[in-house]
Amino acid sequence: MAKKTILSGSTATGDLTLGNYIGAINNWTALQEEYDCLYFVADLHALTVKQDPKKLNDRCMSFFAQYLALGLDPVKNTLFLQSHVPEHAELNWILTCLTPMGYLNRMTQFKDKSEKNTKNINAGLYTYPVLMAADILLYQADVVPVGEDQKQHLELCRDIVNFYHNRYGEKTLVMPEPFIGKQGARVMSLQDPTSKMSKSDENEKSFVSIIDTPKKIQKKIKGAVTDSDTVIEFDVEKKAGLSNLLTIYSVLSGKKVDEIVNEYQGKMYGHIKADLADLVCDTLKPVQEKYADLMNNQDYLLETMNSGASKARERASKTLKAVYEDTGLINLSSRK
Ligand code: TYM
């Protein structure tokens, strides 16, 4: 039986965080063994917020190196940058023309981001989820592993597929399913455990970056906001901060939350924080070592990016050609 196709990506803004790792990339690496996987750096999506060109350029290299360092294998998977496959922007246009504005108005991320970004509410921020649909549909992805915050965008993508099927038939675009992990799908901010850990948070203390130094990691985890109680229990409503730390602990150690709660009975929150800080440092140490090696080998990174882009383009161009045919645009090669 043909392997199912998996696709996912992360936008090149801010720093990749423990939230991105636990909610998404950790699942991506697990899936690479059994599925046909494509993972990319969404650099075009990053342009929806104002970027310093040099910093964006460096960040794209860094994100790509972090994907590899976190265990994504460039031979088993197709790893690439979105802007290296122009078909994304082209399919985006076709899908934009199928998407009612009313559907985009409902997107909570647009509302949140435009509230935070009052000086730059650009059209790209608004149509962002359509580009995301193009990313997915170009590769006939069956499954899209994401964190909880992307669920609404995935639902919109499914609506767009229905619009397309109704207008042009069902033979070209595959209906994707979201895959949201049972645990860690919404890792919370270390400073405000009622909102998600976000890589573009201005408060650096609110997230752990994959490439933070051990000293910073220790400081951030030990400084995580909890509550004034002392009883160790998992309760997302009453003890959001502690529960968030327990979730991170559970995912990284492979132990069940209950097991951890039992282990720490009678101990202080500080004990959990200290052990969790060590666990995060130990988990990230080999990743950071690999990352440093990769960043010293830019030629290898560029070669790997290039071969990933060629593999991706070969597939994307086939879908785009079929879409253009469905829509009635003239295909010169079939007219000769
Ligand atoms: P991005 O870059 O915000 O996040 C990348 C992935 O990490 C997940 N994630 C989290 N999971 C758990 N807890 C958190 N605190 C947390 N923060 C982020 C996200 O859900 C996501 O899975 N628009 C996407 C990138 C994208 C994409 C796509 C994804 C562009 N095109 C096509 C899938 C398919 C984004 O900005 O993710």
Side-chain angles (χ1 to χ4, degrees), residues 7-13 16-25 28 40-42 45 63 67 82 88 109 113 128 131-133 135-136 144-151 153-154 184-189 195-200:
L7 172 131
S8 202
S10 179
T11 303
T13 45
L16 278 178
T17 69
L18 209 50
N20 297 123
Y21 173 62
I22 290 177
I25 302 173
W28 303 356
F40 68 101
V41 177
H45 274 98
F63 268 41
Y67 278 15
Q82 189 182 30
H88 288 245
Q109 270 211 0
K113 287 190 180 170
Y128 174 114
L131 178 57
M132 202 171 140
D135 301 335
I136 297 167
V144 184
V146 284
E148 186 72 40
D149 63 326
Q150 296 299 323
K151 198 171 163 208
H153 292 161
L154 257 295
R186 194 171 167 80
V187 175
M188 308 310 273
S189 153
S195 61
K196 76 156 192 180
M197 182 180 284
S198 161
K199 59 177 148 59
S200 357

Side-chain angles (χ1 to χ4, degrees), residues 5-6 15 55 72 91 124 137 143 175-176 189 208 211 227 231 248 283 285 288 299 312:
T5 300
I6 304 267
D15 291 305
K55 281 191 189 148
L72 293 176
L91 182 60
L137 302 177
V143 182
M175 182 66 83
S189 153
V208 169
I211 50 175
D227 54 82
V231 182
I248 299 173
T283 307
K285 189 168 179 262
Q288 295 183 347
D299 287 348

Side-chain angles (χ1 to χ4, degrees), residues 95-134:
L95 302 181
T96 301
C97 296
L98 279 174
T99 309
M101 286 177 62
Y103 280 62
L104 294 176
N105 291 339
R106 295 205 293 252
M107 296 296 117
T108 51
Q109 270 211 0
F110 171 70
K111 289 183 205 157
D112 291 349
K113 287 190 180 170
S114 47
E115 271 166 25
K116 283 188 195 140
N117 243 310
T118 47
K119 291 205 186 97
N120 184 17
I121 308 179
N122 60 70
L125 198 61
Y126 186 63
T127 57
Y128 174 114
V130 185
L131 178 57
M132 202 171 140

Side-chain angles (χ1 to χ4, degrees), residues 154-303:
L154 257 295
E155 278 160 12
L156 178 76
C157 175
R158 291 172 56 85
D159 288 333
I160 294 175
V161 173
N162 278 326
F163 294 136
Y164 189 98
H165 285 170
N166 288 337
R167 190 168 305 175
Y168 300 118
E170 296 186 9
K171 73 178 192 320
T172 306
L173 297 187
V174 169
M175 182 66 83
E177 299 286 339
F179 169 85
I180 298 177
K182 284 197 188 77
Q183 222 193 358
R186 194 171 167 80
V187 175
M188 308 310 273
S189 153
L190 298 177
Q191 290 299 309
D192 170 11
T194 59
S195 61
K196 76 156 192 180
M197 182 180 284
S198 161
K199 59 177 148 59
S200 357
D201 200 317
E202 278 169 14
N203 181 357
E204 236 210 281
K205 289 188 200 151
S206 71
F207 59 83
V208 169
S209 150
I210 302 298
I211 50 175
D212 270 344
T213 59
K215 203 171 156 199
K216 267 196 183 173
I217 297 174
Q218 292 280 348
K219 212 167 161 199
K220 288 179 179 182
I221 301 232
K222 287 178 185 162
V225 169
T226 41
D227 54 82
S228 53
D229 193 21
T230 51
V231 182
I232 309 252
E233 58 185 345
F234 185 86
D235 184 331
V236 179
E237 297 296 316
K238 291 195 201 118
K239 292 177 180 249
L242 180 66
S243 302
N244 188 39
L245 299 181
L246 287 168
T247 302
I248 299 173
Y249 199 136
S250 167
V251 174
L252 297 187
S253 65
K255 289 184 189 170
K256 294 212 167 72
V257 167
D258 288 350
E259 223 180 295
I260 302 166
V261 168
N262 283 338
E263 230 174 83
Y264 284 91
Q265 280 316 305
K267 295 194 179 161
M268 317 278 280
Y269 288 3
H271 291 120
I272 294 197
K273 286 184 181 176
D275 291 348
L276 178 60
D278 288 345
L279 176 60
V280 174
C281 289
D282 290 349
T283 307
L284 294 182
K285 189 168 179 262
V287 175
Q288 295 183 347
E289 285 168 359
K290 189 158 180 215
Y291 171 75
D293 280 350
L294 287 162
M295 288 303 276
N296 279 328
N297 196 347
Q298 301 264 316
D299 287 348
Y300 171 76
L301 287 177
L302 290 169
E303 259 167 48

